[in-house]
Amino acid sequence: MILAIIGNKGGTAKTATAISLAAGLALKGRRTLLIDLDSQGSASLSLGVRRAAFDPSIADVILAGRGLSGIIRKTSAEGLDLVTGSAALADADVQLARIPGRESRLKAALAPIRADYDFVILDCPPSLSLLAINALVAADAYLVPTPPEYLALEGLVGITDAVQRIQAGIGTACQLAGILLTRVDHRRKVTDEIVQVIRRHYKDQVFRAEIPVDVRLVEAPSFGQTIFQYDRGSAAAEAYRQLTDEIIRRKGRTS
């Protein structure tokens, strides 16, 4: 299963979700590859890769046509492989604009190595750029993380509508895997209200797992570790274990 983690703004725990879900799947014995599609390289940095060591990266694949197999690297998390991001992706839209089949570059690159993995997780940039479109074309499904906040709720409506328009325009069949509530703090009254609105509107499309506000999740990247390596007993680790189980079950129903 190729799963894109997408969002049209920062601050939604998108990268934390990509890393934690990928690590959770690896812990469950699933061969997992995480691809960092963000020019900031946050997922790569969070897994302990120094910025100076990013090359070769996914930019070489998407922009220069290099094969994926030669740039996949191991991480400190057993069973989890990584393809790093790159600052070279910052102007990817400009560079891809003149390349034929620009929206399918990632899909073509994944084809030769897809059978090597049970899951490929795509950490997309916080915008619906050509990189995100490449992810949607390549993926079987996409996941949208969103905190239970008013502006994030407005953004959730916007991104689901935008994805549908993109799909109609390019003919991709990528399905919504689900909406994940992140940075949840039930001590705030407004949190419960917005969570209820989202669950009532999107129903079964919302994962049961909720990712709480947890300082351990914020601390883990500074040690180059996943949440399971840093504090496997934390509330965030337990929530991501629940999400991992849900993803595995949903994959089983669609296989």
Side-chain angles (χ1 to χ4, degrees), residues 100-159:
R102 55 188 173 272
E103 74 279 354
S104 301
R105 302 277 287 182
L106 181 59
K107 181 177 182 178
L110 281 166
I113 60 96
R114 178 166 185 165
D116 297 336
Y117 294 96
D118 297 306
F119 286 90
V120 178
I121 306 299
L122 308 175
D123 183 29
C124 299
S127 65
L128 289 180
S129 61
L130 271 173
L131 290 173
I133 291 173
N134 260 267
L136 289 170
V137 170
D140 302 304
Y142 66 97
L143 181 154
V144 182
T146 185
E149 301 166 1
Y150 175 73
L151 291 179
L153 178 58
E154 291 293 317
L156 176 60
V157 174
I159 195 169

Side-chain angles (χ1 to χ4, degrees), residues 11 24-25 49 55 66 73 90 96-97 102 132 140-141 143 152 157-158 167 217-218 236 248-250:
L25 290 165
V49 182
D55 293 334
R66 181 168 177 170
R73 60 185 82 190
L96 287 171
R102 55 188 173 272
D140 302 304
L143 181 154
V157 174
Q167 290 178 321
L217 192 61
V218 178
I248 291 172
R249 285 197 299 270
R250 293 189 184 202

Side-chain angles (χ1 to χ4, degrees), residues 1-6 14 17-18 21-22 25 32-35 37 106 110 114 118-124 135-136 138-145 174-180 207 243-244 246-248 250-251:
M1 183 183 195
I2 300 176
L3 181 65
I5 314 297
I6 69 169
K14 175 184 60 61
T17 293
L21 176 57
L25 290 165
T32 305
L33 173 65
L34 173 63
I35 299 182
L37 289 167
L106 181 59
L110 281 166
R114 178 166 185 165
D118 297 306
F119 286 90
V120 178
I121 306 299
L122 308 175
D123 183 29
C124 299
L136 289 170
D140 302 304
Y142 66 97
L143 181 154
V144 182
C174 183
Q175 302 296 313
L176 175 63
I179 295 163
L180 176 67
F207 289 102
L243 174 65
T244 299
E246 286 190 73
I247 289 289
I248 291 172
R250 293 189 184 202
K251 177 181 182 293

Side-chain angles (χ1 to χ4, degrees), residues 28 32 46 53-54 90 113 118 145 148 170 198 207 233:
K28 290 286 186 177
T32 305
S46 297
F54 277 7
I113 60 96
D118 297 306
I170 61 181
I198 293 174
F207 289 102

Side-chain angles (χ1 to χ4, degrees), residues 62-63 91-103 105 130 134:
I62 293 178
L63 302 179
D91 65 344
D93 277 16
V94 175
Q95 296 190 57
L96 287 171
R98 54 181 178 267
I99 298 177
R102 55 188 173 272
E103 74 279 354
R105 302 277 287 182
L130 271 173
N134 260 267

